């Protein structure tokens, strides 16, 4: 699915994906349309053209937290504006962020496969922002969240973690979502990377 208010940006995303043989099945022009579409027929991936801001990312993530979101920032002026747009997309819950439509096809395939993908230089920008804005977030994890985190790093599914810790699968998923919010991360891959880099697993 492709979401974006700007016909130019969203149209460019559709064209880039189609050229790579990845035909979008839905097109939404407003955050409400995007949220309704992912609830009615959850896609493998949502691509959001960010010309109108990160509200569509937030709407999709809230409506369907398990659907990965790939944000296309596009040309938004000087570096400071571009960096602000990237951080806004990640803060809204985007799994991956690219700057150019030419990167979309590869990033889409990798994001669907579970990776967090960023244009060159953006991953470092995002990690610096997270570490500088919330250095003590890990200290606020509960003991149970820390238990779940260790098992996520070990590669267990929510169902396997639930069986190991004698919890419901929904409770495990809630713990994962709580950790993502506390640590300002965007998915399990980012959570695993954060845990390893910060000695939490």
């Amino acid at each position: 699915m492709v979401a974006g208010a700007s016909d130019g940006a969203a149209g460019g995303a559709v064209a880039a994906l189609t050229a790579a043989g990845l035909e979008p099945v839905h097109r939404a022009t407003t955050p409400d349309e995007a949220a309704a579409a992912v609830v009615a027929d959850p896609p493998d991936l949502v691509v959001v053209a960010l010309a109108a801001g990160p509200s569509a990312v937030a709407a999709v993530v809230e409506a369907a937290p398990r659907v990965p979101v790939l944000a296309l920032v596009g040309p938004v002026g000087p570096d400071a504006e571009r960096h602000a747009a990237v951080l806004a997309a990640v803060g809204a819950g985007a799994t991956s962020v690219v700057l150019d439509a030419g990167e979309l096809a590869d990033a889409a395939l990798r994001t669907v496969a579970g990776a967090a993908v960023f244009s060159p230089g953006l991953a470092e920008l995002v990690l610096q922002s997270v570490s500088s804005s919330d250095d003590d977030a890990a200290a606020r994890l509960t003991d149970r969240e820390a238990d779940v985190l260790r098992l996520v790093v070990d590669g267990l599914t929510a169902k396997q973690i639930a069986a190991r810790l004698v919890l419901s699968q929904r409770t495990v998923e809630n713990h994962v979502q709580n950790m993502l919010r506390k640590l300002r991360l965007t998915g399990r891959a980012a959570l695993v990377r954060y845990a390893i880099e910060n000695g939490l697993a």
Side-chain angles (χ1 to χ4, degrees):
M1 184 178 111
V2 174
S6 164
D7 283 340
V14 170
L17 293 169
T18 302
L22 304 170
E23 188 68 39
V25 293
H26 296 293
R27 166 83 188 276
T29 57
T30 68
D32 288 343
E33 277 183 35
V38 296
V39 170
D41 184 17
D44 294 325
L45 175 71
V46 175
V47 175
V48 176
L50 280 183
S55 56
V57 174
V60 168
V61 170
E62 184 176 339
R66 294 183 185 169
V67 175
V69 177
L70 168 57
L72 170 62
V73 174
V76 290
D79 283 350
E81 288 181 29
R82 191 174 307 115
H83 291 172
V86 169
L87 294 176
V90 172
T95 306
S96 300
V97 182
V98 295
L99 296 176
D100 184 82
E103 301 173 87
L104 271 180
D106 177 64
L109 293 171
R110 290 170 57 202
T111 302
V112 168
V117 182
F118 296 91
S119 291
L122 296 186
E124 183 178 347
L125 169 72
V126 172
L127 288 173
Q128 285 174 350
S129 172
V130 170
S131 62
S132 65
S133 64
D134 208 357
D135 286 335
D136 66 340
R140 296 200 305 268
L141 295 182
T142 67
D143 290 342
R144 184 54 87 191
E145 286 169 346
D147 292 340
V148 170
L149 178 57
R150 281 188 281 277
L151 296 175
V152 167
V153 172
D154 288 342
L156 275 67
T157 65
K159 185 175 182 180
Q160 292 168 328
I161 294 170
R164 180 83 58 93
L165 298 178
V166 194
L167 299 170
S168 73
Q169 185 172 337
R170 184 170 188 80
T171 298
V172 170
E173 291 166 353
N174 287 340
H175 282 313
V176 170
Q177 290 305 314
N178 287 339
M179 287 188 286
L180 291 173
R181 278 192 291 273
K182 285 182 181 181
L183 299 173
R184 297 180 186 175
L185 299 172
T186 58
R188 285 175 69 105
L191 189 59
V192 169
R193 185 172 60 239
Y194 181 93
I196 292 169
E197 289 174 351
N198 290 277
L200 301 177

